[in-house]
Amino acid sequence: MRLAGAALNQIPFDWGHNIQNISAAIAQAKAEGVELLCLPELCLTGYNCEDLFLSDWLPAAALEHLQKIRPLTEGICVVVGLPVRLAHRTYNTAAVLRDGQILGFAAKQFLANDGVHYETRFFVPWVAGEATTVEHNGESWPLGDLTFEHLGVRFGFEICEDAWRPDDVRPACRLVGKVELILNPSASHFAMSKTDLRYKLVLNASRNFTCTYLYANLLGNEAGRIIYDGEILIARNGHLLKRNQLLSFKAVDMEWVDVNFREPLAVADVIVPLPEPDEYRELNQAMSLGLFDYLRKARSRGFVLSLSGGADSCFCAVAVAEMVRLGVAELGEEEFKRRSGTFDAAKTSVVQAGAGGAAHQAVEPAPARPQLSPNQQLVNHLLACAYQGTVNSSDDTLTSARELADSIGARFFAWTIDEEVSGYVGKIEHALGRELTWQTDDLALQNIQARVRAPGIWLLANVQNCLLITTSNRSEASVGYCTMDGDTAGSISPIAGVDKDFVKKWLRWAQTALGYEALRHVNALQPTAELRPLADKQTDERDLMPYVLLNRIERLAFYDRLSPAAVLAQLVAEEPAYAPEQLRAYVKRFYQLWSRNQWKRERYAPSFHLDDYNVDPRSWLRFPILSGGFAEELAAL
């Protein structure tokens, strides 16, 4: 039998878009002679419909739209994921269609309810061994714990989380002897190095349950925060038969393989391992695809970035350049431009409707710079950068920002904000009747500089109908080392899930491995906010603590969920170069800053989930805005 999986880049309840991709996948499969095609979990609605899954209308609409797919399945068996609602309960199901008919709906038995997943809020797990019926327009079909047969091959299902449970409880253990093939339609989020876990999961399942196992994942940045890598894996008895290239820019990525179920295949003695994951390259590909999908799905014209010349903003600038490079390399220039939706001449006039009526806004394309390469021309169209200096800014960061922007082709502007800062400071000095000084008003004088940068860069973004990139990283988010309505202002915060130490290492990798030689400037600098007078020689780590230690405390506290005392004990054992008193001070400082800054994390712009955890309260980590602040626990250290 010729088996195929297809990764689809979907959009929540965008029926026309989603059905178009499903139709394209089926057409590709038919053209390749595929006999059974597995599409990803909830691909008809999209996985991230959130509380709409609790409505009656969305599952009903999905079932109605499923009818449009039926005629496409003549001569092929297709698996389509969708929600089904029965008696005010929503089930996560995979519909099996063949020759224009619906054969039934397999229901998910185990729900993901950790990390970025909240499935138990939306869905009800199906009970193993149970079945019922679904009725629609006079027809009825079975739903539940089902097996099917196609061309003499029996098959059953595990849907995403089902496969991550122990071997003695997962659905596969009850399918032994009943099926030759297990299908796994999935919506498994991207995280660095996760593909290695998924590979072992699929290969071991095919070996342990002596079957052929087909896995098909969603693809792309579906709804804003979560990125899917589009992985397709087909294995038999512990042998890999097919694995695709991950994180494709294509709307549909289909892979097929022929399996002779009548011909025995010895069970593999060992699973052949994948090469060691390259996390720098993985993050680069995921960030590029995440930005591309966010740009086009938000129907924006490009990006605007306040490019300070520091590590975080330089990372974001290179990320846009890499989005262009990788997208063009896979799709070609013309298809990249078409898919992005930002190069359509018809969109140079934007109509904004408000209380005063419609207002027409002209969006002027960036003038072409003939000395630029084709990719630099695309970056020039998509990215505008501004360096907003003060008396506290250094020539080093200006040089870093200017040379990087020029090297990637971005439009670059430079202006100062001292006049605006002085204006606000003067107003408050007049109101209070006293001078504001660095000795008495240090933090306020730092924050006003960051906040004054926001209106101008927002205006630049609005005028160009672009997304404003904000540049804070995860380490800064953890301790609130940022200014709300200042450096955190923006439409999207792509690196808020990445720690600062990784950011610095990635920039060094990008300079050498990717050839961004202009990064030599930022790679020679100590990270600094440049908000205090230059004579103070301000650096992030002097203000906080070494980033390596900050990241370790963060992980022990909120990934491993250890108490402050246990975190300190672990650090003392791991870091003999530091005095225990110094480590105690760092632990106290981390928890105190963490607790008082939850309100900031609640207000961050949407960020990508890229690591195995993040501190975004809307996706991974919940924490009270007001709390006891670990006062008793820290006093006991």
Side-chain angles (χ1 to χ4, degrees), residues 393-413:
S393 303
S394 68
D395 292 339
D396 290 336
T397 53
L398 175 57
T399 299
S400 171
R402 188 187 302 277
E403 286 201 19
L404 179 61
D406 288 346
S407 73
I408 64 177
R411 285 165 285 151
F412 182 77
F413 309 99

Side-chain angles (χ1 to χ4, degrees), residues 27 78 98 104 110 129 143 180-181 222 273 276 337 359 367 377 393 494 508 529 572 575 594 626 630:
V78 181
R98 183 179 63 199
F110 293 96
L143 179 149
E180 295 81 46
L181 170 66
E222 187 189 83
E276 188 74 18
K337 291 166 71 173
Q377 290 278 12
S393 303
R508 291 193 288 271
V572 169
E575 301 289 347
W594 170 277
L626 304 176
F630 302 96

